[in-house]
Amino acid sequence: PEHQAAGSCSHSWHGTVEEDEPLQPLPTELDTVNHPRYVSALKDKLTVRYTGKGNHSHDFGAIRTNWPVPQRCALYYFEATVLDAGQRGCIAIGLADGAAQLDRQPGWDQHSYAYFGEDGRKYHDSERGEPFGPGFVVGDVVGCGLLSAQREVFFTKNGKHLGAAFSGVGAELFPTVGLHSPNEELVVNLGAL
């Protein structure tokens, strides 16, 4: 399928959007207030760096955007570019709802869905994951999309569509990234780059 630019939203698809439905804001930046101490968002509010030691199972850092994907978006898509894969490449890119724990990797609980750079696996409500695609490293651009009508999440790597990863996903999901090894850094493209 064709995909729109990062952070874009198709507001009408098959006539499913009511004209008087209020507009919801699109995600524009990372939430720099509500995140664990192990991640640091830079001043641009799009670049995030892991600041922990990555030695323990409890020192993860996940960060989500300031707004969830609007319910009226037929298709939403964002990208993350890996600036530094760190020591182990424990980067996760995906979507999570407002109840997802930010001190765990996205995909490890029932409120989140993610694709991992370290092993190329997809994760939802599991710390083991399932085989999905290739891992990703420095310079790779990983995209995550949500097809609202199907409640389906898909991923891309360097512009190549990797297929649907999850279906029947929950509503009100935030673009979310997780980091867990020293020096990991990435920048998200929510449509303004």
Side-chain angles (χ1 to χ4, degrees):
E2 274 189 46
H3 304 294
Q4 295 174 284
S8 62
C9 171
S10 171
H11 290 289
S12 179
W13 195 20
H14 303 297
T16 59
V17 175
E18 298 293 328
E19 289 301 318
D20 59 350
E21 186 177 335
L23 287 177
Q24 295 172 297
L26 285 166
T28 56
E29 60 189 37
L30 295 172
D31 180 350
T32 58
V33 176
N34 300 305
H35 62 79
R37 65 181 177 188
Y38 300 110
V39 293
S40 175
L42 302 187
K43 288 183 181 182
D44 66 3
K45 296 186 179 184
L46 297 172
T47 304
V48 63
R49 179 180 299 140
Y50 182 77
T51 58
K53 295 187 190 244
N55 293 334
H56 306 286
S57 61
H58 63 273
D59 59 359
F60 290 99
I63 188 168
R64 62 180 159 237
T65 56
N66 57 342
W67 297 103
V69 174
Q71 301 272 334
R72 63 184 282 130
C73 273
L75 167 65
Y76 179 83
Y77 179 77
F78 77 99
E79 295 176 329
T81 301
V82 180
L83 301 176
D84 191 328
Q87 291 180 359
R88 296 186 312 274
C90 300
I91 297 172
I93 297 169
L95 298 164
D97 74 12
Q101 297 178 27
L102 297 178
D103 60 353
R104 290 172 49 89
Q105 281 286 47
W108 283 12
D109 65 34
Q110 65 182 353
H111 305 286
S112 59
Y113 311 86
Y115 170 37
F116 279 49
E118 181 180 26
D119 57 15
R121 296 171 79 85
K122 64 179 184 173
Y123 289 75
H124 167 63
D125 199 15
S126 168
E127 291 184 22
R128 299 181 78 193
E130 299 175 36
F132 177 66
F136 44 91
V137 296
V138 174
D140 284 336
V141 178
V142 178
C144 177
L146 175 65
L147 292 166
S148 294
Q150 294 92 335
R151 302 307 307 160
E152 183 177 278
V153 176
F154 65 89
F155 293 97
T156 64
K157 179 183 171 191
N158 299 326
K160 181 181 178 193
H161 188 271
L162 301 176
F166 306 102
S167 58
V169 302
E172 195 157 287
L173 297 170
F174 293 77
T176 306
V177 297
L179 309 167
H180 188 230
S181 77
N183 302 318
E184 290 175 350
E185 185 174 357
L186 57 81
V187 60
V188 294
N189 179 353
L190 300 171
L193 296 177

